[in-house]
Amino acid sequence: KAEGRSAVSAPAQDVPEELICPLSHQVMSDPWIAADGFSYERTAIEEWFARKGARSPTTGLPLPDTRLLPNNALRSIIASYVE
């Protein structure tokens, strides 16, 4: 489980898959987009990059870089979902 800012707790079976981080398997609270186009909880993907380097956790393919972009649209959807 990622440390730092905690993900929102909710039963995974009741939550749309798009709101779940592929790394932490928790509802994201701070989703960021990696170069593979997938969204991850920020702390989880940063820890992944620190351990594994520039490789996609979802596809296993090399990434051109480890830059992350905030996924504000998904953050808003998650905030509405968990209210």
Side-chain angles (χ1 to χ4, degrees), residues 17-18 20 22 28 31-41 45 49 56-60 63 67-69 71 74:
E17 182 179 339
E18 296 79 14
I20 304 288
M28 293 180 274
W32 287 66
I33 304 169
D36 61 1
F38 291 94
S39 291
Y40 304 92
E41 181 70 21
I45 191 64
F49 287 153
S56 168
T58 302
T59 67
L63 298 175
R67 286 182 292 176
L68 298 169
L69 297 171
N71 191 336
L74 184 56

Side-chain angles (χ1 to χ4, degrees), residues 13-30:
Q13 66 271 17
D14 298 335
V15 178
E17 182 179 339
E18 296 79 14
L19 308 186
I20 304 288
C21 173
L23 291 170
S24 70
H25 305 289
Q26 299 292 318
V27 176
M28 293 180 274
S29 61
D30 189 18

